Amino acid sequence: MRRIEIITMVMVLSFFTAVLSGCGNTADEDQTKYQPGPNRKVIIDTDTGADDACAIIMAARSSNLDILGVTTLAGNVELEQSTKNALAALEIAGCDAPVYGGSTENIMGESNVVFSVFGKDGMGEADLIHPVKAAEQGDAVDFILDTVRKNPDEIEIIALGPTTNIAKAIQKDPETMRRVKRIWSMGTAGQGPGNATPVAEFNVYGDPEAYKIMLDSGINITVVGLDMCGKEAQWTNAQFEELSGSGEIGEFVTKSFAKIRDFYAMNGSADSVMNCDTLAMTCVIYPDFITDTVQCHGSCIVEPGETFGEVLFYKKGHTYDVATNNYDYNVTLVSGVRASDYFNLFLDTL
């Protein structure tokens, strides 16, 4: 066979290999100095706005996450829209993971208060959401429990919204949930200010009682707070322009962020926006992206008042003047990331 024929055959095979890859097999590790961690089985729990969808796409395009399912709830948008957004994100990423609808009410049985800075559909009001596939018939909480039972000590849950589904699973079968390997939570203000209130972050504020149940469960939890998402980690207009020109997925993500970019501009930040859920997903995929952590006990304030939804972190080994510090330290609080590398790590997955 002539040399040019061999080269042509290799190029064709490479193309079809990329096209046919589904969930978790498309990242080009040669394009980044970071290496994904070992292969892991995950469930993504989400109230799917544009930032959640972006994180789902990154997970689906990564080489080391096996997405066993996506569970949805109301938060950024109503449950039905949240589910459709998750389905659309998976489809554009080329992933056929099942999606299960979950909570429309908080852990106290009250209807979730839906609030979105991403537009009415949570996805920039850009007519992006036309999923072909429908959600599964089962319930999100039952799916979480069944999956953990089948894969004890292997499942990591990535929580991108309020933790109502997770708290309900803990209440329904705490013994099974103790076999969850780890929960990754994009939640809390970390060691900085909040966004729902001066001290509370949106996901926690959406259901503080559920967050408290999760923190008190004894399950190993890694928390990525708002304080990791500012400054160098924010995505700029120039980066969105680059993303939009990178292909169909990049254009999808850029359009989905249109309304939140308008929201930031009205609040004096015309050049950049936070994308916290995808930053949390970057922490999951790339262990070397995290530079510092603090082992803590997390305490969520559920009493009504100005501090409602705030999470306090008691640092292991730290002595306070008055407060006692004798707790279980099941929370790993991310306190440092390589923020300047964040956008390019996402872009590399596309």
Side-chain angles (χ1 to χ4, degrees):
M1 186 178 292
R2 289 178 297 175
R3 184 172 182 271
I4 189 153
E5 292 174 333
I6 295 172
I7 293 172
T8 301
M9 183 177 293
V10 170
M11 291 175 66
V12 170
L13 288 172
S14 297
F15 170 78
F16 280 106
T17 298
V19 169
L20 293 173
S21 294
C23 312
N25 290 299
T26 56
D28 184 350
E29 294 180 13
D30 292 335
Q31 293 179 7
T32 174
K33 64 183 179 182
Y34 293 89
Q35 295 298 314
N39 292 340
R40 293 128 79 194
K41 298 176 180 179
V42 303
I43 296 170
I44 300 173
D45 190 62
T46 172
D47 61 341
T48 333
D51 53 346
D52 305 66
C54 187
I56 290 169
I57 289 168
M58 187 178 194
R61 301 291 290 181
S62 74
S63 62
N64 67 328
L65 299 186
D66 181 7
I67 305 173
L68 300 187
V70 174
T71 53
T72 61
L73 73 161
N76 276 313
V77 288
E78 300 287 354
L79 175 63
E80 182 179 0
Q81 186 68 55
S82 174
T83 303
K84 288 181 178 178
N85 293 351
L87 287 164
L90 288 167
E91 286 179 10
I92 198 166
C95 179
D96 62 355
V99 176
Y100 293 83
S103 300
T104 59
E105 300 177 336
N106 65 25
I107 204 70
M108 305 300 289
E110 304 160 343
S111 294
N112 281 354
V113 177
V114 174
F115 177 80
S116 175
V117 292
F118 297 98
K120 292 179 182 178
D121 64 354
M123 296 292 291
E125 297 178 19
D127 195 29
L128 297 171
I129 307 305
H130 305 284
V132 174
K133 188 179 175 181
E136 307 298 319
Q137 291 298 311
D139 175 73
V141 171
D142 291 334
F143 170 75
I144 290 170
L145 290 170
D146 289 344
T147 305
V148 175
R149 290 186 192 109
K150 293 173 184 175
N151 304 272
D153 307 313
E154 294 185 48
I155 300 299
E156 297 178 61
I157 301 174
I158 306 167
L160 304 176
T163 58
T164 314
N165 289 334
I166 295 169
K168 287 181 177 179
I170 293 169
Q171 287 183 325
K172 188 171 183 177
D173 190 345
E175 289 300 321
T176 292
M177 289 300 286
R178 289 192 187 99
R179 304 302 298 270
V180 170
K181 183 177 181 179
R182 181 169 297 275
I183 297 172
W184 294 80
S185 166
M186 193 288 110
T188 85
Q191 300 178 84
N195 58 357
T197 74
V199 296
E201 178 270 334
F202 176 84
N203 287 339
V204 179
Y205 192 82
D207 197 346
E209 289 85 357
Y211 210 82
K212 177 176 173 57
I213 289 169
M214 182 184 74
L215 290 174
D216 292 347
S217 68
I219 300 169
N220 290 324
I221 303 167
T222 296
V223 171
V224 183
L226 284 177
D227 57 336
M228 295 294 100
C229 307
K231 298 181 180 179
E232 282 189 296
Q234 295 192 143
W235 287 10
T236 66
N237 290 341
Q239 288 173 328
F240 275 109
E241 185 175 349
E242 181 181 359
L243 181 61
S244 182
S246 68
E248 183 183 13
I249 296 176
E251 185 177 4
F252 177 92
V253 172
T254 300
K255 287 181 177 179
S256 74
F257 271 75
K259 289 297 181 181
I260 192 172
R261 292 172 70 188
D262 291 344
F263 176 82
Y264 268 71
M266 288 187 298
N267 283 277
S269 178
D271 184 59
S272 61
V273 300
M274 287 184 176
N275 183 359
C276 294
D277 287 339
T278 311
L279 186 139
M281 191 63 72
T282 307
C283 291
V284 176
I285 296 169
Y286 296 103
D288 290 340
F289 181 69
I290 301 171
T291 60
D292 292 292
T293 61
V294 182
Q295 207 63 31
C296 300
H297 166 77
S299 178
C300 186
I301 307 300
V302 297
E303 291 76 18
E306 292 183 329
T307 60
F308 181 71
E310 181 181 13
V311 176
L312 306 177
F313 292 103
Y314 292 79
K315 299 176 183 178
K316 185 177 182 180
H318 187 84
T319 301
Y320 298 97
D321 288 347
V322 177
T324 58
N325 192 15
N326 185 22
Y327 298 104
D328 291 329
Y329 301 96
N330 61 311
V331 174
T332 302
L333 178 65
V334 175
S335 54
V337 296
R338 303 185 193 277
S340 61
D341 295 337
Y342 167 36
F343 175 77
N344 286 330
L345 279 172
F346 175 77
L347 197 63
D348 283 345
T349 69
L350 307 189

